[in-house]
Amino acid sequence: MEKNLVMIMDINFYNTTRQSLLEKDLYPRLEHGEKSFLVTANPEFVMKSREDAEFKAILQSADYVIPDGIGIVKASNWINDPLKERIPGFELMFDLLEYADKEKLSCYFLGAKEAVNEKAVKEVEKKYPDINIVGRHHGFFDIADKSIAEKIRKANPDLIFVALGMPRQEKWIARHMPEFDKGLFMGVGGSFDTLTGEVKRAPQFWIKLNLEWFYRFLKQPTVRFKRLLKVLEFAVRMRFKRE
Ligand code: UDP
């Protein structure tokens, strides 16, 4: 079946809904043990792909690039090729965990600091007491290290959640996925930190005013300022230059 795609700065986004992606694509592929590479991308990913050719080629070779970030959906509207909806990676991860729990599929958790990784696994086990977690590993290692990939391959997981941050997580997946026989590989960014409460969401007051981004900016001004500029550049390019 031809995929309905929307191209944003040379990256093809899959134009689908969260429900359809799960039911028509991901669940059947998991059922058949088909290997899959899923990227949930926001404007920062697209901007990064402009300066990092390896990362761009990886995004172009992934099985699915999904719009995670309202900026991508807005940009699709500006170019008159609207994406159906934003599909948040954090929520998609829970959809997949729920499915894994129900269908007795095995999961692996790779990434974040050791204590966060351990706590994230405990939180998932608390939420899904019967879930089959076949292993976990923190995210501070050299992505060229083959021994970690080999250890994961031997654990034979159906789902591999990779929380190394962008673009490390996508580079790790692209490099090591060929050695695997099966598995749905998904980069999940800072999800383990959010899952464990390591990174706190803004208080409701800020969220209600749509100022969560500003709250985060105040908490980490140096890191966030650079990111904010990239997102602004993305918006200006997409709105006015169309490239
Ligand atoms: N991380 C990691 N190894 C590294 C660098 C980062 O495991 O070498 C983890 C980090 O601890 C965090 C996650 O990657 O849990 C993503 O962090 P960030 O907030 O930068 O990701 P984003 O969601 O913004 O892509």
Side-chain angles (χ1 to χ4, degrees), residues 38 76 103 117 225:
L38 173 69
S76 75
E103 299 297 322
N117 180 290
F225 185 65

Side-chain angles (χ1 to χ4, degrees), residues 37 39 45 48-49 51-59 110 141-144 162 164-179 187:
F37 181 4
V39 178
F45 281 60
K48 180 80 186 161
S49 76
E51 62 200 39
D52 181 338
E54 183 201 350
F55 185 55
K56 183 171 180 175
I58 290 172
L59 294 190
L110 176 66
F141 57 86
D142 181 355
I143 58 168
V162 187
L164 306 177
M166 172 279 286
R168 257 170 72 80
Q169 57 198 23
E170 283 73 27
K171 289 186 177 178
W172 185 88
I173 295 172
R175 189 186 281 244
H176 299 288
M177 193 175 151
E179 296 140 36

